[in-house]
């Protein structure tokens, strides 16, 4: 990075249910990171309602950007580029951030950079330490479960992904069956630490050599167990269910990550995405990496779930690589990494 001139990026994220704006210096320093969560509005529906998400983003976006600029103590004259999540995500939600970014870029004559949401989650790790390559990232969020190999900055090779549910999705569905509030991941995580993993739920290893994942069988198995017990009038311990479910998820995630790390001969592992906040996963991955002599980077909990700072970190790399978007930038719900 050119040490003579600081690179200041304004970043915007609106792909799901968080409206967020951040000001990032040289890709690794957070001058501000304002996150407005809509969880309360979606909670009573048990999941994110796209129309409600879009409406909240429209109401919030201008204030959130103003607040990020104020807290970051910058004006538009200081901003080198505006980075915005272009996809994947909810199309109506993405469009609010993309259009806000385009309008500001046009009005202030500032370069515009579209960023992939998962690249953002991965680059949340850049706030923790300088990334060394080649590396492997375990991406675990509400919409994604992937193993991503990176040879250098900005290069992403997905070597495994879920064939059905994402990990966060499985957490949220199991939590719902247990009668826990949305999003259920953090609740299961808490309960899992209060019980023993006494039930041997299935682990989907898939074909030998495959780094793909599958969580729908596990999810169904937990839900069936709960329904059967209810029909028989049996009481199951919520803590034991949570602990057993979590143990199965973590076993598969950590084992496959270690196998892939060995085959790809990487020395560094990153953890990324909302489920990276999971205490059990953080602990088990840390233990496995130390056993296998691998360096591990995990973002602080505040940067695991959706936020604009991570989009700014990934956007800075694109900026330095000379990548720019034009005024045809659009929200792309199915954008591939
Ligand atoms: O990355 P994220 O904020 O949004 C997406 O891009 O999908 O991830 C949200 C997901 C939700 O499914 C939520 O339940 C899960 O992350 N999550 C957790 C924990 N904290 C958030 N899952 C398990 N344990 C946690 N502590
Ligand atoms: Zn996310």
């Amino acid at each position: 990075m050119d040490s003579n001139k600081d690179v200041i990026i304004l970043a915007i994220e609106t792909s799901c249910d968080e409206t967020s704006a951040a000001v990032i210096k040289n890709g690794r320093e957070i001058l501000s990171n304002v996150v407005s969560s809509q969880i309360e509005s979606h909670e009573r529906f048990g999941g994110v309602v796209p129309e409600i998400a879009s409406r909240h983003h429209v109401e919030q976006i201008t204030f959130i950007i103003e607040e990020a600029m104020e807290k970051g103590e910058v004006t538009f004259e200081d901003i080198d580029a505006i980075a915005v999540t272009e996809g994947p995500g909810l199309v109506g939600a993405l469009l609010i951030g993309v259009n806000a970014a385009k309008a500001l870029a046009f009005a202030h004559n500032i370069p515009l950079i579209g960023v992939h949401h998962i690249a953002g989650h991965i680059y949340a790790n850049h706030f923790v330490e300088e990334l060394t390559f080649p590396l492997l990232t375990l991406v675990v969020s509400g919409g994604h479960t992937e193993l991503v190999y990176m040879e250098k900055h900005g290069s992403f090779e997905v070597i495994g992904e879920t064939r059905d549910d994402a990990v966060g999705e499985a957490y949220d569905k199991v939590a719902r069956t247990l009668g826990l509030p949305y999003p259920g991941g953090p609740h299961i995580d808490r309960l899992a630490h209060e019980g023993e993993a006494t039930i041997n739920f299935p682990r989907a290893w898939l074909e030998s050599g495959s780094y793909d994942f599958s969580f729908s069988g596990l999810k169904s198995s937990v839900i069936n167990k709960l329904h059967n017990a209810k029909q028989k009038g049996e009481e199951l311990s919520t803590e034991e269910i949570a602990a057993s479910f979590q143990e199965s998820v973590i076993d598969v995630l950590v084992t496959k990550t270690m196998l892939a790390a060995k085959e790809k001969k990487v020395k560094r592992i990153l953890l990324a995405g909302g489920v990276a906040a999971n205490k059990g996963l953080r602990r088990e991955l840390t233990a496995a990496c130390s056993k296998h002599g691998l360096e591990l980077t995990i973002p602080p909990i505040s940067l695991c779930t959706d936020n604009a700072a991570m989009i700014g970190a990934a956007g800075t790399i694109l900026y330095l690589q000379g990548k720019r978007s034009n005024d045809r930038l659009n929200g792309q719900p199915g954008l591939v990494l």
Side-chain angles (χ1 to χ4, degrees):
M1 200 170 286
D2 179 359
S3 53
N4 300 323
K5 161 91 178 76
D6 289 331
V7 174
I8 311 281
I9 302 274
L10 168 66
I12 299 170
E13 152 69 38
T14 63
S15 68
C16 191
D17 59 347
E18 255 94 37
T19 317
S20 182
V23 178
I24 304 302
K25 184 172 162 186
N26 296 330
R28 299 197 50 208
E29 192 183 330
I30 300 176
L31 301 185
S32 66
N33 184 30
V34 183
V35 184
S36 162
S37 171
Q38 313 172 358
I39 283 177
E40 278 175 25
S41 305
H42 299 284
E43 208 173 1
R44 69 194 168 106
F45 302 105
V48 177
V49 183
E51 287 78 7
I52 295 180
S54 307
R55 208 173 311 155
H56 274 284
H57 287 311
V58 171
E59 286 166 5
Q60 292 290 315
I61 190 77
T62 318
F63 302 115
I64 299 292
I65 293 172
E66 272 173 13
E67 196 182 328
M69 298 286 290
E70 256 168 47
K71 286 194 170 147
E73 296 179 6
V74 290
T75 67
F76 280 100
E77 293 206 339
D78 304 314
I79 303 292
D80 293 292
I82 301 181
V84 62
T85 307
E86 119 180 70
L90 302 168
V91 67
L94 288 166
L95 279 173
I96 312 298
V98 166
N99 283 325
K102 276 162 78 167
L104 289 171
F106 178 73
H108 297 281
N109 199 20
I110 299 171
L112 179 67
I113 301 171
V115 177
H116 193 288
H117 182 76
I118 297 300
H121 274 302
I122 294 172
Y123 271 92
N125 285 289
H126 215 187
F127 293 117
V128 182
E129 58 194 323
E130 188 67 61
L131 304 183
T132 52
F133 300 93
L135 61 81
L136 186 70
T137 307
L138 173 63
V139 179
V140 278
S141 78
H144 296 262
T145 305
E146 281 156 13
L147 275 169
V148 182
Y149 173 76
M150 290 178 71
E151 208 160 51
K152 56 181 194 299
H153 275 302
S155 130
F156 308 98
E157 185 195 342
V158 178
I159 62 165
E161 61 194 330
T162 183
R163 295 188 186 169
D164 39 60
D165 291 355
V167 182
E169 204 178 341
Y171 263 95
D172 293 341
K173 286 181 184 161
V174 165
R176 199 169 162 168
T177 315
L178 287 169
L180 300 168
Y182 175 84
H187 296 282
I188 296 205
D189 191 14
R190 175 177 44 81
L191 290 167
H193 289 86
E194 294 166 12
E196 290 288 315
T198 49
I199 309 159
N200 190 19
F201 285 125
R203 278 111 167 111
W205 298 110
L206 307 175
E207 318 82 72
S208 137
S210 168
Y211 299 121
D212 280 353
F213 300 97
S214 166
F215 293 102
S216 68
L218 167 64
K219 176 195 69 187
S220 304
S221 172
V222 178
I223 294 174
N224 286 342
K225 179 125 195 131
L226 285 165
H227 285 167
N228 287 343
K230 202 173 171 190
Q231 272 168 359
K232 291 187 203 149
E234 282 172 19
E235 275 284 326
L236 285 178
S237 146
T238 309
E239 291 81 3
E240 279 176 33
I241 297 271
S244 309
F245 165 76
Q246 179 146 309
E247 188 185 74
S248 167
V249 170
I250 294 174
D251 189 7
V252 175
L253 289 176
V254 172
T255 306
K256 290 217 174 205
T257 305
M258 291 303 113
L259 287 171
K262 194 170 171 207
E263 191 195 310
K264 294 299 239 178
K265 299 190 174 61
V266 302
K267 298 237 161 47
R268 179 174 295 279
I269 304 287
L270 312 182
L271 185 60
V275 185
N278 187 278
K279 291 191 194 67
L281 178 57
R282 294 166 86 94
R283 188 188 57 222
E284 294 303 320
L285 195 60
T286 303
C289 285
S290 103
K291 186 174 155 203
H292 290 88
L294 297 164
E295 309 256 22
L296 172 68
T297 315
I298 302 183
I301 305 259
S302 60
L303 296 178
C304 287
T305 43
D306 292 348
N307 65 85
M310 66 186 197
I311 301 302
T316 306
I317 297 294
L318 296 173
Y319 177 81
L320 294 172
Q321 290 177 339
K323 304 211 171 109
R324 305 286 183 269
S325 302
N326 59 29
D327 60 4
R328 287 195 302 279
L329 184 72
N330 208 346
Q332 297 199 55
L335 188 66
V336 286
L337 190 60

